[in-house]
Amino acid sequence: MLKIVADDKIPFLTGALEPKAEVKYMAGGDISNEDLKNADALITRTRTKCNEGSLNGTSVKMIASATIGFDHIDTNWCEQNNIKWTNAPGCNSESVKQYLGAVLALLVSEKKWVLKDRSIAVVGVGNVGSKVSAMAKALGMTVYEIDPPRARQENNMHFVNLTDVVNKADVITFHTPLSKTGEDKTLHLCDDNLLKCMKSDAIVVNSSRGEVIDGQSLKAALTEKQIGGAVIDVWENEPAIDKNLVDLVWIGTPHIAGYSKDGKAKGTQMSVQAISRFFKLGMDDWEASGLPLPEQAQLEINCVGLTEDEVIARAILHTYPLFNDDADLRGDLAKFEYLRGAYPVRREFKAYQIVLENGNESMLKKLIDIGFGKVIKKMSGR
């Protein structure tokens, strides 16, 4: 029988492959070369290093990572040793969009921003960045899209250079892979030089990879109040993150921007289907089931006295009260991994219905455009 080793924190996986395979579930960080000796496949997340040390001399023929990132996989070594690997591109794109939506909602509710008067630079316009960009446009923001590889490949004048807009953008949000070398190097893309060019009230957001921002430079910029603040979900040296930097950021979370139940289910689904195709298991159309419902799937908002931004902010923060994750991280940095593994249920916008009392068509359209499952407008008293 097919033998598979799987990270035990991958949701909706238990029982999916057992009719076709023998599956051993383990903590991702504990999976060793010895555990993989007789395994045919590995289903993993980012905490399992897939390289010569863990794979040499094993019988592993395929690695399926239920994550968008794949820098935990030594892809060159795997390809040279005939080990097929897959990741799950775009699986968490709606979840990260929701995270950014919550950031914008808090800028409205906490800092009284008017979004139509603000701009955002989206650095990396792939599966995630494109959805963040579309949401920001739907909310009326000016959007600058930065993606040098796409700009070259598509010869598209729509894209701009980061250096040309860094001094204009009110929010700079990073959605790039981690590239340590080459023309499109992103290691420490946000460094001292870039931070010094930003507006004094700019907000920097990183939900891509920790090393995209130079943590020491960000600490200096925040200490000296060169920028308005930072929202950091991914950190250098995870899980041993810098307490001094956590103390300085406006919002800090434990690498959970993509951790909606919907996004996790999609990543698991893509991994199971990839395993099925490779080993011809006949499960190519398998879908995750049993996603828990939101605690309060319907929200009614009386729009009297509220601006459009305030209405939308209430709807977004109902689906995702971002400050809760910030408080959990600050409560005990040593629980970084625990907070990821025990992350509570978070459903994406599509799982919610919003009822607008005394709302207008513009509010309704914006909520639909950013992805809410159903939006109903009713008049007072009806």
Side-chain angles (χ1 to χ4, degrees):
M1 179 170 284
L2 190 70
K3 294 185 181 346
I4 299 174
V5 173
D7 187 313
D8 62 6
K9 295 297 190 298
I10 297 175
F12 311 107
L13 181 61
T14 303
L17 287 159
E18 274 76 351
K20 310 280 186 177
E22 177 186 319
V23 186
K24 180 180 181 181
Y25 297 93
M26 298 183 62
D30 294 341
I31 296 173
S32 68
N33 181 276
E34 185 62 31
D35 298 311
L36 298 173
K37 283 290 184 189
N38 299 312
D40 298 293
L42 170 63
I43 306 178
T44 185
R45 301 182 304 147
T46 58
R47 288 300 181 255
T48 306
K49 299 301 180 186
C50 304
N51 52 29
E52 182 178 3
S54 61
L55 296 166
N56 193 34
T58 73
S59 56
V60 172
K61 304 173 188 67
M62 182 178 182
I63 299 163
S65 183
T67 60
I68 183 172
F70 54 89
D71 41 285
H72 55 296
I73 302 174
D74 186 338
T75 57
N76 289 332
W77 191 89
C78 288
E79 288 162 7
Q80 289 167 10
N81 288 272
N82 297 314
I83 297 175
K84 170 77 172 177
W85 65 272
T86 64
N87 61 325
C91 68
N92 65 354
S93 56
E94 285 290 333
S95 180
V96 179
K97 183 185 86 172
Q98 182 186 34
Y99 184 94
L100 267 291
V103 172
L104 296 176
L106 287 170
L107 288 168
V108 169
S109 63
E110 298 287 319
K111 298 185 181 293
K112 309 307 176 187
W113 278 27
V114 177
L115 295 181
K116 69 179 178 59
D117 297 333
R118 297 288 183 165
S119 61
I120 183 170
V122 180
V123 187
V125 194
N127 286 309
V128 176
S130 60
K131 291 188 176 180
V132 171
S133 176
M135 176 180 65
K137 289 174 184 174
L139 293 173
M141 299 182 76
T142 298
V143 179
Y144 305 115
E145 293 187 341
I146 298 98
D147 197 312
R150 282 191 62 189
R152 289 195 306 272
Q153 293 163 10
E154 301 169 21
N155 195 24
N156 192 334
M157 298 301 291
H158 168 76
F159 295 107
V160 297
N161 294 320
L162 180 56
T163 51
D164 292 338
V165 298
V166 67
N167 62 339
K168 301 177 185 177
D170 297 294
V171 178
I172 299 98
T173 180
F174 293 91
H175 302 284
T176 69
L178 178 62
S179 302
K180 297 183 179 180
T181 59
E183 183 178 7
D184 298 311
K185 175 183 171 183
T186 59
L187 175 66
H188 289 177
L189 176 61
C190 183
D191 59 8
D192 185 59
N193 291 330
L194 193 72
L195 288 159
K196 284 180 177 176
C197 295
M198 293 180 187
K199 296 174 66 173
S200 60
D201 63 347
I203 303 295
V204 175
V205 185
N206 189 15
S207 58
S208 58
R209 285 291 179 263
E211 294 82 0
V212 169
I213 292 183
D214 183 336
Q216 295 302 314
S217 295
L218 182 59
K219 274 201 300 188
L222 292 170
T223 300
E224 296 163 16
K225 296 186 172 19
Q226 288 179 358
I227 60 173
V231 177
I232 304 297
D233 180 58
V234 290
W235 311 77
E236 290 183 303
N237 304 313
E238 291 180 12
I241 64 176
D242 187 338
K243 181 183 185 303
N244 293 328
L245 180 55
V246 176
D247 290 342
L248 287 167
V249 302
W250 177 41
I251 300 170
T253 52
H255 199 151
I256 46 70
Y259 266 37
S260 71
K261 286 297 182 187
D262 309 72
K264 287 190 169 191
K266 184 69 172 176
T268 302
Q269 179 177 308
M270 293 170 76
S271 295
V272 170
Q273 290 180 359
I275 293 283
S276 173
R277 287 191 298 270
F278 185 82
F279 291 103
K280 297 180 171 51
L281 301 181
M283 300 174 63
D284 297 6
D285 297 324
W286 182 86
E287 292 185 1
S289 61
L291 273 70
L293 295 173
E295 191 171 321
Q296 187 181 348
Q298 178 175 296
L299 173 67
E300 186 166 322
I301 303 174
N302 189 333
C303 304
V304 173
L306 299 177
T307 67
E308 284 191 11
D309 283 352
E310 289 169 340
V311 169
I312 291 161
R314 286 194 185 186
I316 290 174
L317 293 174
H318 173 76
T319 74
Y320 183 25
L322 177 55
F323 273 148
N324 289 355
D325 287 341
D326 173 86
D328 286 343
L329 179 63
R330 294 181 196 276
D332 188 350
L333 299 189
K335 288 187 174 180
F336 191 93
E337 290 289 68
Y338 169 79
L339 292 172
R340 301 182 80 225
Y343 193 65
V345 172
R346 168 156 63 98
R347 294 297 308 275
E348 295 168 2
F349 296 147
K350 64 185 178 183
Y352 289 85
Q353 175 176 291
I354 307 298
V355 178
L356 298 180
E357 184 176 356
N358 300 307
N360 59 43
E361 290 296 329
S362 179
M363 294 172 182
L364 183 142
K365 184 177 187 305
K366 285 183 177 181
L367 288 166
I368 290 173
D369 286 349
I370 67 174
F372 278 89
K374 188 174 184 181
V375 186
I376 300 170
K377 189 176 65 142
K378 73 171 189 175
M379 299 306 294
S380 182
R382 294 183 63 187

